Each structure stands twice: as C-alpha cells, then as structure tokens.
C-alpha cells in the first residue's frame, strides 16, 4: 500500500477522507453492525474465526495473575477466555473506541458470569493507561480501522510491560493466487449481500471488505511493529494468509 501524498488524508475503505473524519465514519459502521456482529462473524467466516482466536490465546502464553488488555475487543470473545485464564488474581481490560460495541461486549460477558472484566472506551492511538501496565496486549480485527496505525503501535508498546507481548490478529494477504481470486469474489459479492440480508446494511460490509484490502500486508505490518520498538516480531499465516497473527515483544 503506497502512502497518501497528502498527510491530512487517509483511507476509509477505497475512499480518501480527511484524517479527522475517519474515526467518525468507522464509528458509524460499527454502531450499525454491533447488534448482529457475532452472527455475521460466524456467517462470514463459517465459524473459522473461533479457531483463529483460539490460536491467538495459545500464542499469548497467558498465565494466572497476569494483566491483559484486549483492544478493539468488541463483543468480548478474547476477553472472556483471558478472564478465565488469569483468574481472580489477574486483570482483563476490554477496550473499544465504539460505545455500541463495548455495550454489546459488556452485556454478553456479564450475562455469561464474567463480572471481573473492566471496560474502557479508548482510542488505540492514545491508550489511557500508565506505562508498563500489561503483560499481554491483543487486538483482533481492529488495527485496520485505526487511522494512525504507527501511533497505535507506539501506544501499545508504551503500556506493555518489559518482556510483555503484543498479538495482532488481522485480515491479511492470501499467499496463493487462486485463493486470492476466490476471496476477492467472495468479499465483494457475497459479503455485502449477506450484510444486507442480516443487518440491512450492505455498505458497512462493503467497507469492511475494502478496509481489508487497504491494510498493510504481512511483511509491512511486521516492519511497522519493529519500527515501534517491538523485537522478535514474527507472524503466522492462517487459512492461506486470509488472516495473519503477528506477535512482538517489548
């Protein structure tokens, strides 16, 4: 992805918008889809997103008593498992910039008996936590929606403890051309139609497909993590590179 020549603009899907407008536009998307977000995740990925998230938990190495921050935590899939793993002596914070998503996640977790999770409405670019707070930070399917990804990575680095780890689960670039062609057809034909059918909102799912294409590829994101200060950065391609899990240490 080539950088925009105008530093005052950024990408919202395939559109070019002013940087200060992007957060509001992303917010509209997630306000619209929040109520049906879990259902659509299952339909869009045919349930495979649960395996991707399980792999993220495994690579996090989470242990009892640790402090975990799940950024763009949405409806709480990761936070729920982390809360179980860290136990009563640990701490799990579910953060999301979108209050509709945060409310859905909070209601879902409380209904499930997870009463110790903390909820914070926060922008990933300027996290409201002290330096060196968390043992583990995760962000699943959220980084591509952030306006200034470099600022967000620096913010995550700041609040991570020394030797802590960051895990980024995100859509990426398929590593096989035939898969890429099928994936494109699915993304731009099936997803918007599915979004219209389930949420009466094709445009939001068209944006999600476009935002995936505008997100940095595997190697570029790895380099961005290193530029932010992370070391021993690596990534695992999942489902042929449709999704990648990046990991880095402070």
């Amino acid at each position: 992805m080539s950088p925009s020549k105008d530093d005052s603009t950024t990408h919202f899907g395939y559109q070019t918008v002013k940087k200060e407008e992007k957060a509001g536009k992303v917010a509209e998307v997630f306000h619209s889809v929040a109520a049906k977000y879990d259902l659509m995740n299952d339909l869009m990925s045919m349930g495979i997103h649960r395996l991707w998230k399980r792999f993220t938990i495994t690579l996090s190495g989470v242990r009892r008593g640790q402090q975990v921050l799940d950024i763009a935590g949405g409806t709480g899939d990761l936070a729920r498992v982390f809360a179980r793993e860290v136990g009563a002596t640990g701490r799990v914070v579910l953060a999301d910039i979108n209050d509709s998503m945060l409310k859905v996640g909070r209601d879902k977790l409380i209904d499930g008996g997870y009463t110790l999770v903390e909820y914070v409405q926060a922008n990933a670019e300027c996290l409201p936590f002290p330096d060196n707070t968390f043992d583990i930070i995760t962000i699943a399917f959220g980084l591509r929606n952030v306006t200034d990804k470099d600022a967000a990575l620096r913010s995550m680095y700041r609040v991570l403890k020394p030797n802590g780890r960051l895990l980024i689960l995100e859509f990426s670039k398929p590593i096989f051309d035939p898969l890429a062609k099928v994936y494109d057809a699915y993304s731009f034909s099936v997803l918007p139609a599915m979004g219209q059918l389930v949420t009466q909102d094709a445009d939001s799912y068209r944006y999600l497909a476009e935002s995936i294409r505008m997100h940095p590829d595997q190697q570029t994101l790895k380099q961005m993590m290193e530029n932010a200060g992370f070391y021993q950065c690596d990534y695992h391609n999942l489902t042929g590179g449709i999704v990648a899990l990046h990991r880095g240490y402070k």
Side-chain angles (χ1 to χ4, degrees), residues 12 29 32-33 192 195-196 199-210:
F12 175 74
V29 168
S32 172
V33 304
Q196 181 63 36
T199 69
Q200 288 72 58
D201 184 357
D203 289 343
S204 288
Y205 286 91
R206 192 171 293 111
Y207 158 73
L208 292 176
E210 292 175 359

Side-chain angles (χ1 to χ4, degrees), residues 3-247:
S4 171
K5 293 179 181 178
D6 182 354
D7 286 342
S8 69
T9 62
T10 189
H11 297 286
F12 175 74
Y14 289 165
Q15 300 176 44
T16 298
V17 299
K18 291 190 179 298
K19 282 185 175 178
E20 60 268 22
E21 295 176 355
K22 179 169 179 174
K25 288 181 174 293
V26 170
E28 289 171 11
V29 168
F30 285 94
H31 285 313
S32 172
V33 304
K36 298 286 182 66
Y37 187 77
D38 286 338
L39 173 61
M40 280 298 295
N41 273 353
D42 281 331
L43 292 173
M44 288 188 301
S45 73
M46 292 169 282
I48 299 172
H49 75 99
R50 299 176 186 277
L51 300 179
W52 298 332
K53 290 169 182 172
R54 190 178 305 163
F55 185 62
T56 303
I57 297 286
T58 299
L59 257 64
S60 76
V62 62
R63 300 190 307 275
R64 291 277 168 190
Q66 288 190 317
Q67 298 204 44
V68 180
L69 171 63
D70 183 26
I71 301 170
T75 55
D77 284 352
L78 290 177
R80 180 179 67 251
V81 183
F82 279 131
R84 207 160 54 223
E85 294 296 325
V86 303
T89 59
R91 177 191 185 199
V92 175
V93 178
L94 191 162
D96 204 297
I97 195 171
N98 187 278
D99 59 335
S100 294
M101 292 294 289
L102 202 61
K103 183 178 186 302
V104 170
R106 183 175 61 238
D107 290 349
K108 180 180 168 186
L109 289 177
I110 291 173
D111 288 348
Y114 296 91
T115 57
L116 298 179
V117 176
E118 300 172 33
Y119 305 91
V120 177
Q121 188 170 355
N123 186 334
E125 298 172 25
C126 46
L127 294 166
F129 307 105
D131 295 359
N132 309 315
T133 296
F134 296 98
D135 298 286
I136 297 166
I137 296 177
T138 55
I139 178 167
F141 306 114
L143 187 61
R144 73 181 187 280
N145 297 310
V146 173
T147 302
D148 190 338
K149 296 174 181 61
D150 292 310
L153 290 169
R154 291 193 300 269
S155 185
M156 294 176 211
Y157 184 88
R158 179 185 64 78
V159 303
L160 199 62
K161 291 180 182 178
N163 300 315
R165 65 183 70 181
L166 167 67
L167 296 108
I168 302 171
L169 182 66
E170 187 55 90
F171 291 106
S172 201
K173 184 176 175 58
I175 55 179
F176 306 112
D177 281 342
L179 177 61
K181 289 181 172 61
V182 172
Y183 182 49
D184 277 347
Y186 176 78
S187 299
F188 291 103
S189 299
V190 178
L191 284 192
M194 196 183 294
Q196 181 63 36
L197 184 67
V198 177
T199 69
Q200 288 72 58
D201 184 357
D203 289 343
S204 288
Y205 286 91
R206 192 171 293 111
Y207 158 73
L208 292 176
E210 292 175 359
S211 70
I212 291 166
R213 299 315 184 282
M214 301 306 293
H215 186 67
D217 64 19
Q218 289 91 324
Q219 197 59 38
T220 303
L221 180 54
K222 179 175 179 281
Q223 185 63 57
M224 290 168 66
M225 293 171 68
E226 291 169 348
N227 293 346
F230 293 95
Y231 75 97
Q232 287 187 2
C233 297
D234 60 10
Y235 61 84
H236 298 263
N237 285 315
L238 308 176
T239 316
I242 287 176
V243 165
L245 177 62
H246 283 70
R247 177 177 55 176

